[in-house]
Amino acid sequence: MEESNRLSPCTVLCAVWAGLGVATVLITQVLSLFHVLTTIGVIIAWALVLVAVTIALAFHPRYSQHSFARILTFCKTYLFSLSLVERVLLIAIMFCCCGTLASALLYPVNNFDGLAHIMPRVFFWIQNRSVAPFPATYGQQLTTYPFAAYAITNLKLLCFGSDILVNTVQWCAYLVSVFHVYFLARLLGAGRIARLFGALTAATIPMTLLQATTIQYDLVAASYMLGATHELAMLWQLRKTADWHLRWQHAAVLGALSGLGLLTKITFLLVMWPFFGSFLIALLVRSVRYRRSAAALIDSDNAGTLSDSCGSRFKKFRHARQLMTIALFGAPFLLVTAGWFGSNTYYYGGDAFAARVEGNAHVLVTDWHPRLLLTNAIRSLGMELSTPVSTVNELIASKMKSAATTVGIDLDTTVNMENPRAYALNVEITNHDMAGAPVTVALIVVGVVAACFTKGEFRHRFLGFTVLTLIGMVTIATLVTWQPFITRTLVGPMMMLSVMVGCTVDGLGAQMSAGNKTDVGTRSPGKPRLVVVRTVRVLAWGLLGVSTALGGLVIVFNSQAPLISQALRPGSAGRDLGWWNRTQHELLTEMLTPELTPVVEWLDAPKNVSGIRVVGLAGDAIAGQPLYPLLEAVSRSGTDGRKPQVVVLPEATVAGSERFGYVGTQVDGSIADVPDMLIFFSSNELSETRVGEVRYSSAYCEHFPGMGCWVTILRRAG
């Protein structure tokens, strides 16, 4: 690894990414405390942050000029010294970034998670001017880890209520993750082509391309995994230096990244525990060795003038510096996480992780028998082999089942399955929840084989990194309940493994260079070994080409945000919806929830909603429904410039409803104002109901088979 006593470009990137995250968390939570989470409040808060950063840079001009000058010099030197191969790789990465950005900006939120719990959660936060728990229609509106939703809330408020930028949270994480892959490979000693090779491998994983256009959280978590890994590697690299200030800077950035990663998704903890664990063990071993060597030095005859008092003072200074490092790691970590986990502890009876609350209770496996855990791991990891060809998928799945049966494992068992079904691979390679990555898996296998042909420290470094990443990946596959969209949770480890793929290609290049040398005394690999090395290297480049081509197709034919008209797709059927013939406003309802279109149109008619101040949501079939288009329609229905307030009515307030809404928190479920209108999702047709003593009669009622319920809009009688 390269030695450095200055902040690297990647550390500056990590610091900026962590700083934005910490500012987002603090602004959101502080404004919520005073119920001023509004457009004006957020604009003022971010303006103050900008002023504070400007003042800080003004008081440290040397530091700021040095950091930014290094970045500018790096960019200029880098861009003007690229070879033809490097330029081709860079252009391919830029195409992936630009294509996904176009999809993220052209399309509204149109995936189920976004419409059912992410955006409704943001809607209620903005309406309530606080991120405090609220009576919700769906458990995950309360229990999903909140950081990405904080960022979405800030962007929506900064855009004066528009959704135009909400998809860019994941896209920014995608861009940062690709940079992290490049710089991690650089830190581990790879050449420039190898770094770009790894970055392109990560950029063209189908799931990363698809997630970059959605509102989900997985790429955000992946960006913090990669950043934390880089900072851990930097701290280990600096273990022998005397520059404690530089160590403290890296420790503070690592603490912020770790807190933000944990606040984004629990998978951060499952992936990163091998890295943190091995780092702490290595530090402990080094500390023991250091104490022994120091004791031997003090007791030796050659110690001379080194007295016991000097040794004691030296130890005290060292211990104080170590404690400062721990404090600088812990301070930003606690600053970021204390609010959320403290709120969970208060509202959920001591359950800080909200692991036992409805909405999260199904996330981890329930049966911890070793054989069933192994079954879960095989099923989850096997989903990465999914191809677009059903015949190939059936063949792979049957071979997996046959091999598993020989060791007494049944992949079709319904234990530890969220939605019990026969185990099968998925053909939807352009689906943002279920896309597999067989080409990337093949590249990873080739990378592991290639690493075995490298020598010395190079091999140990990359194989060690690969082993730690695989342990984290297997941890997710083992402990997270199996579901068809498990591949989405594995996107972080897959991007981390891309670092190793690029680095091993660089190692193979070194082996080939050694084999081509003819100088006397030069040690070169044997001819058979050289043939294998060349074959593996050609195979790796060929697979990268296939991965890039497949990535381009995934961008163009993205099932949720295609850049090409669906009418031009072979075998296309149904509605041709896209940015070319629909506005974002129309797409919000028509792409994923077309059956709600008549309800939205009814609410958009001014005569139907005149005088409405409070709208109540209710029904025994409301949980899990994609409500966001409906909520947006309600917010547009206000008169005299006032938006109606939307409330989820507690079960006890509605007559004749056995289960209604979601009662998963200890929040107050009382109603401040009796609703003027009810929107009722029920399994049976409803003509009238009452809330307390207030009666409501049906104004609109329709059955929606696709949603499996009746939707009834009731107006207050009299």
Short mmCIF file of all heavy atoms in Angstrom, two decimals, residues 675-706:
data_model
loop_
_atom_site.label_atom_id
_atom_site.label_comp_id
_atom_site.label_asym_id
_atom_site.label_seq_id
_atom_site.Cartn_x
_atom_site.Cartn_y
_atom_site.Cartn_z
N PRO A 675 -62.80 14.01 10.74
CA PRO A 675 -62.61 14.15 9.29
C PRO A 675 -63.89 14.57 8.58
O PRO A 675 -64.99 14.17 8.94
CB PRO A 675 -62.17 12.75 8.87
CG PRO A 675 -61.64 12.11 10.10
CD PRO A 675 -62.44 12.68 11.23
N ASP A 676 -63.69 15.39 7.54
CA ASP A 676 -64.81 15.75 6.67
C ASP A 676 -65.03 14.69 5.60
O ASP A 676 -66.11 14.62 5.01
CB ASP A 676 -64.53 17.10 5.99
CG ASP A 676 -64.27 18.20 7.01
OD1 ASP A 676 -65.16 18.44 7.84
OD2 ASP A 676 -63.18 18.78 6.97
N MET A 677 -63.98 13.88 5.34
CA MET A 677 -64.07 12.85 4.31
C MET A 677 -63.27 11.64 4.75
O MET A 677 -62.21 11.78 5.39
CB MET A 677 -63.52 13.38 2.98
CG MET A 677 -63.46 12.36 1.86
SD MET A 677 -62.59 13.00 0.40
CE MET A 677 -63.78 14.21 -0.16
N LEU A 678 -63.76 10.45 4.43
CA LEU A 678 -63.05 9.20 4.69
C LEU A 678 -62.73 8.52 3.36
O LEU A 678 -63.57 8.49 2.46
CB LEU A 678 -63.89 8.25 5.53
CG LEU A 678 -64.22 8.62 6.98
CD1 LEU A 678 -65.02 7.49 7.62
CD2 LEU A 678 -62.95 8.89 7.76
N ILE A 679 -61.51 8.00 3.25
CA ILE A 679 -61.14 7.13 2.13
C ILE A 679 -60.94 5.75 2.72
O ILE A 679 -60.01 5.53 3.50
CB ILE A 679 -59.88 7.63 1.40
CG1 ILE A 679 -60.10 9.05 0.89
CG2 ILE A 679 -59.53 6.70 0.25
CD1 ILE A 679 -58.89 9.65 0.21
N PHE A 680 -61.81 4.83 2.36
CA PHE A 680 -61.91 3.54 3.04
C PHE A 680 -61.50 2.42 2.10
O PHE A 680 -62.06 2.27 1.02
CB PHE A 680 -63.36 3.33 3.52
CG PHE A 680 -63.47 2.49 4.75
CD1 PHE A 680 -63.48 3.05 6.01
CD2 PHE A 680 -63.58 1.11 4.66
CE1 PHE A 680 -63.60 2.28 7.15
CE2 PHE A 680 -63.68 0.33 5.78
CZ PHE A 680 -63.69 0.91 7.05
N PHE A 681 -60.49 1.62 2.50
CA PHE A 681 -60.07 0.43 1.76
C PHE A 681 -60.60 -0.78 2.52
O PHE A 681 -60.14 -1.07 3.63
CB PHE A 681 -58.54 0.35 1.67
CG PHE A 681 -57.92 1.40 0.80
CD1 PHE A 681 -57.80 2.72 1.22
CD2 PHE A 681 -57.45 1.07 -0.46
CE1 PHE A 681 -57.23 3.68 0.42
CE2 PHE A 681 -56.86 2.03 -1.28
CZ PHE A 681 -56.76 3.34 -0.83
N SER A 682 -61.54 -1.50 1.93
CA SER A 682 -62.18 -2.59 2.66
C SER A 682 -62.34 -3.81 1.76
O SER A 682 -62.32 -3.71 0.53
CB SER A 682 -63.56 -2.14 3.17
OG SER A 682 -64.37 -1.73 2.09
N SER A 683 -62.48 -4.95 2.41
CA SER A 683 -62.67 -6.20 1.67
C SER A 683 -64.11 -6.36 1.21
O SER A 683 -64.40 -7.22 0.37
CB SER A 683 -62.27 -7.39 2.55
OG SER A 683 -62.94 -7.34 3.80
N ASN A 684 -65.02 -5.56 1.76
CA ASN A 684 -66.43 -5.62 1.38
C ASN A 684 -66.92 -4.24 0.98
O ASN A 684 -66.36 -3.22 1.38
CB ASN A 684 -67.29 -6.16 2.54
CG ASN A 684 -66.88 -7.56 2.96
OD1 ASN A 684 -66.76 -8.45 2.13
ND2 ASN A 684 -66.63 -7.73 4.25
N GLU A 685 -68.00 -4.22 0.22
CA GLU A 685 -68.58 -2.95 -0.19
C GLU A 685 -69.15 -2.21 1.03
O GLU A 685 -69.72 -2.82 1.92
CB GLU A 685 -69.69 -3.20 -1.21
CG GLU A 685 -70.26 -1.93 -1.82
CD GLU A 685 -71.29 -2.23 -2.89
OE1 GLU A 685 -71.56 -3.42 -3.13
OE2 GLU A 685 -71.81 -1.26 -3.48
N LEU A 686 -68.98 -0.90 1.03
CA LEU A 686 -69.39 -0.10 2.18
C LEU A 686 -70.23 1.07 1.68
O LEU A 686 -69.85 1.77 0.75
CB LEU A 686 -68.15 0.42 2.92
CG LEU A 686 -68.36 1.18 4.22
CD1 LEU A 686 -68.83 0.23 5.32
CD2 LEU A 686 -67.07 1.86 4.64
N SER A 687 -71.37 1.27 2.31
CA SER A 687 -72.24 2.38 1.91
C SER A 687 -72.25 3.50 2.94
O SER A 687 -72.48 4.66 2.60
CB SER A 687 -73.68 1.88 1.67
OG SER A 687 -74.19 1.29 2.86
N GLU A 688 -72.03 3.14 4.19
CA GLU A 688 -71.97 4.16 5.24
C GLU A 688 -71.20 3.63 6.43
O GLU A 688 -70.99 2.43 6.59
CB GLU A 688 -73.37 4.58 5.68
CG GLU A 688 -74.18 3.46 6.30
CD GLU A 688 -75.53 3.94 6.80
OE1 GLU A 688 -75.99 5.04 6.42
OE2 GLU A 688 -76.14 3.18 7.58
N THR A 689 -70.72 4.55 7.28
CA THR A 689 -70.05 4.19 8.53
C THR A 689 -70.12 5.41 9.44
O THR A 689 -70.73 6.42 9.10
CB THR A 689 -68.59 3.77 8.28
OG1 THR A 689 -68.02 3.28 9.49
CG2 THR A 689 -67.76 4.94 7.80
N ARG A 690 -69.49 5.31 10.59
CA ARG A 690 -69.46 6.44 11.49
C ARG A 690 -68.14 6.45 12.26
O ARG A 690 -67.51 5.42 12.45
CB ARG A 690 -70.63 6.39 12.48
CG ARG A 690 -70.66 5.18 13.36
CD ARG A 690 -71.92 5.15 14.24
NE ARG A 690 -72.03 3.93 15.00
CZ ARG A 690 -71.39 3.68 16.15
NH1 ARG A 690 -70.59 4.59 16.66
NH2 ARG A 690 -71.54 2.53 16.78
N VAL A 691 -67.73 7.61 12.66
CA VAL A 691 -66.57 7.82 13.53
C VAL A 691 -67.09 8.50 14.78
O VAL A 691 -67.47 9.67 14.76
CB VAL A 691 -65.50 8.68 12.84
CG1 VAL A 691 -64.35 8.96 13.80
CG2 VAL A 691 -64.98 8.00 11.60
N GLY A 692 -67.12 7.74 15.87
CA GLY A 692 -67.77 8.25 17.08
C GLY A 692 -69.25 8.43 16.81
O GLY A 692 -69.96 7.50 16.43
N GLU A 693 -69.73 9.65 16.96
CA GLU A 693 -71.15 9.96 16.72
C GLU A 693 -71.39 10.56 15.34
O GLU A 693 -72.53 10.88 14.99
CB GLU A 693 -71.65 10.94 17.80
CG GLU A 693 -71.55 10.40 19.21
CD GLU A 693 -72.36 9.13 19.39
OE1 GLU A 693 -73.46 9.03 18.79
OE2 GLU A 693 -71.90 8.23 20.13
N VAL A 694 -70.33 10.71 14.55
CA VAL A 694 -70.46 11.35 13.24
C VAL A 694 -70.69 10.27 12.18
O VAL A 694 -69.96 9.29 12.11
CB VAL A 694 -69.20 12.16 12.91
CG1 VAL A 694 -69.34 12.84 11.56
CG2 VAL A 694 -68.93 13.19 14.00
N ARG A 695 -71.71 10.49 11.36
CA ARG A 695 -72.05 9.53 10.32
C ARG A 695 -71.48 9.98 8.98
O ARG A 695 -71.40 11.18 8.67
CB ARG A 695 -73.57 9.37 10.22
CG ARG A 695 -74.22 8.86 11.52
CD ARG A 695 -75.69 8.58 11.31
NE ARG A 695 -75.91 7.51 10.34
CZ ARG A 695 -75.86 6.20 10.66
NH1 ARG A 695 -75.60 5.83 11.90
NH2 ARG A 695 -76.07 5.29 9.74
N TYR A 696 -71.13 8.97 8.16
CA TYR A 696 -70.59 9.24 6.83
C TYR A 696 -71.35 8.39 5.81
O TYR A 696 -71.67 7.22 6.07
CB TYR A 696 -69.09 8.88 6.77
CG TYR A 696 -68.22 9.75 7.62
CD1 TYR A 696 -68.08 9.48 8.99
CD2 TYR A 696 -67.55 10.83 7.09
CE1 TYR A 696 -67.28 10.28 9.79
CE2 TYR A 696 -66.75 11.64 7.88
CZ TYR A 696 -66.62 11.36 9.23
OH TYR A 696 -65.83 12.15 10.02
N SER A 697 -71.61 8.97 4.65
CA SER A 697 -72.29 8.24 3.58
C SER A 697 -71.42 8.22 2.33
O SER A 697 -70.60 9.13 2.11
CB SER A 697 -73.64 8.89 3.27
OG SER A 697 -73.46 10.25 2.91
N SER A 698 -71.60 7.18 1.53
CA SER A 698 -70.73 6.95 0.37
C SER A 698 -70.97 8.00 -0.71
O SER A 698 -72.10 8.30 -1.08
CB SER A 698 -70.98 5.56 -0.19
OG SER A 698 -70.25 5.37 -1.38
N ALA A 699 -69.85 8.55 -1.22
CA ALA A 699 -69.91 9.47 -2.36
C ALA A 699 -69.28 8.86 -3.61
O ALA A 699 -69.53 9.31 -4.73
CB ALA A 699 -69.20 10.78 -2.02
N TYR A 700 -68.43 7.86 -3.42
CA TYR A 700 -67.78 7.17 -4.53
C TYR A 700 -67.40 5.78 -4.05
O TYR A 700 -66.86 5.62 -2.95
CB TYR A 700 -66.52 7.93 -4.97
CG TYR A 700 -65.69 7.21 -6.02
CD1 TYR A 700 -65.89 7.44 -7.37
CD2 TYR A 700 -64.72 6.28 -5.64
CE1 TYR A 700 -65.14 6.78 -8.33
CE2 TYR A 700 -63.96 5.62 -6.58
CZ TYR A 700 -64.18 5.86 -7.93
OH TYR A 700 -63.44 5.19 -8.87
N CYS A 701 -67.67 4.76 -4.84
CA CYS A 701 -67.35 3.38 -4.45
C CYS A 701 -67.05 2.57 -5.69
O CYS A 701 -67.80 2.62 -6.68
CB CYS A 701 -68.52 2.77 -3.66
SG CYS A 701 -68.15 1.12 -3.01
N GLU A 702 -65.93 1.85 -5.66
CA GLU A 702 -65.56 1.02 -6.80
C GLU A 702 -64.69 -0.14 -6.31
O GLU A 702 -63.90 0.01 -5.37
CB GLU A 702 -64.81 1.84 -7.84
CG GLU A 702 -64.60 1.10 -9.15
CD GLU A 702 -64.12 2.03 -10.26
OE1 GLU A 702 -64.20 3.27 -10.10
OE2 GLU A 702 -63.67 1.51 -11.29
N HIS A 703 -64.83 -1.28 -6.99
CA HIS A 703 -64.04 -2.47 -6.65
C HIS A 703 -62.84 -2.55 -7.58
O HIS A 703 -62.97 -2.41 -8.80
CB HIS A 703 -64.89 -3.74 -6.78
CG HIS A 703 -64.15 -4.97 -6.40
ND1 HIS A 703 -63.84 -5.97 -7.30
CD2 HIS A 703 -63.63 -5.37 -5.20
CE1 HIS A 703 -63.17 -6.93 -6.67
NE2 HIS A 703 -63.03 -6.59 -5.41
N PHE A 704 -61.66 -2.79 -7.00
CA PHE A 704 -60.42 -2.89 -7.77
C PHE A 704 -59.83 -4.28 -7.58
O PHE A 704 -59.18 -4.55 -6.55
CB PHE A 704 -59.43 -1.82 -7.31
CG PHE A 704 -59.90 -0.42 -7.53
CD1 PHE A 704 -60.21 0.40 -6.47
CD2 PHE A 704 -60.05 0.07 -8.82
CE1 PHE A 704 -60.65 1.70 -6.68
CE2 PHE A 704 -60.49 1.36 -9.04
CZ PHE A 704 -60.80 2.18 -7.97
N PRO A 705 -60.03 -5.18 -8.54
CA PRO A 705 -59.54 -6.56 -8.39
C PRO A 705 -58.02 -6.63 -8.22
O PRO A 705 -57.51 -7.46 -7.48
CB PRO A 705 -59.99 -7.23 -9.70
CG PRO A 705 -61.12 -6.39 -10.20
CD PRO A 705 -60.80 -5.00 -9.78
N GLY A 706 -57.30 -5.76 -8.94
CA GLY A 706 -55.85 -5.80 -8.84
C GLY A 706 -55.33 -5.47 -7.45
O GLY A 706 -54.28 -5.96 -7.04
#
